[in-house]
Amino acid sequence: MQQKWLGPKRLLRNRDRGQTPRTNAAALGSSQPDGQRVEIHKLRQGENLILGFSIGGGIDQDPSQNPFSEDKTDKGIYVTRVSEGGPAEIAGLQIGDKIMQVNGWDMTMVTHDQARKRLTKRSEEVVRLLVTRQSLQKAVQQSMLS
């Protein structure tokens, strides 16, 4: 199955629709940092909007197959591929980043298909992600031990 690139559009304004989805602080875990924000402007190719990355994971997937989960129980959504020169790489997204939010929507307890649909919404030309990065997590944990 070929992965599609995902890219920029208008930010979905949840408050305008009476919705306020946010990542549950408990889901982030007290030992994890707040995360890093990445804003990706989708690239238009004909009628397609390209993001330039692929994802893996989800609550419907086998977490033991996730190469980014240290304990092999994490069912989060992870970046598995970043296209060279694509919108995601330009924005600073990295392989192994765990996606916590997409445009304010909680991504900690979603299926793979729900995550894909949230990322590829045609009505959104900009995708604002909140991600955690292993290198960030380890640096914070090590600095707390010092």
Side-chain angles (χ1 to χ4, degrees):
M1 170 160 75
Q2 190 166 4
Q3 302 283 333
K4 288 188 176 180
W5 272 10
L6 310 175
K9 188 103 177 151
R10 182 179 62 81
L11 171 65
L12 176 66
R13 294 190 186 350
N14 297 320
R15 68 176 185 272
D16 296 340
R17 296 174 55 196
Q19 301 170 346
T20 56
R22 297 285 179 236
T23 299
N24 181 340
L28 288 171
S30 59
S31 65
Q32 293 185 3
D34 291 333
Q36 181 171 335
R37 298 198 182 279
V38 178
E39 183 174 289
I40 303 171
H41 293 264
K42 293 179 183 177
L43 175 65
R44 184 170 296 279
Q45 285 187 340
E47 293 186 23
N48 297 320
L49 293 173
I50 307 301
L51 281 168
F53 72 97
S54 299
I55 59 169
I59 60 173
D60 58 335
Q61 304 295 308
D62 180 1
S64 69
Q65 300 300 310
N66 181 345
F68 304 107
S69 173
E70 289 185 17
D71 64 2
K72 299 299 181 191
T73 62
D74 190 340
K75 293 187 175 198
I77 301 295
Y78 284 85
V79 176
T80 59
R81 182 182 62 84
V82 176
S83 298
E84 189 174 333
E89 182 185 56
I90 292 168
L93 197 65
Q94 296 179 12
I95 293 173
D97 284 353
K98 182 176 182 179
I99 301 175
M100 305 303 289
Q101 289 182 0
V102 173
N103 290 342
W105 290 89
D106 185 351
M107 299 296 281
T108 60
M109 294 296 291
V110 296
T111 65
H112 183 87
D113 196 51
Q114 288 169 328
R116 182 189 56 78
K117 286 177 181 176
R118 179 61 57 198
L119 287 162
T120 59
K121 287 186 77 157
R122 286 186 174 269
S123 63
E124 297 174 348
E125 292 181 4
V126 175
V127 174
R128 291 177 176 89
L129 304 176
L130 177 65
V131 301
T132 58
R133 192 165 285 159
Q134 285 293 339
S135 58
L136 286 176
Q137 291 175 8
K138 288 180 181 177
V140 169
Q141 288 171 349
Q142 288 176 350
S143 70
M144 289 171 49
L145 295 173
S146 304

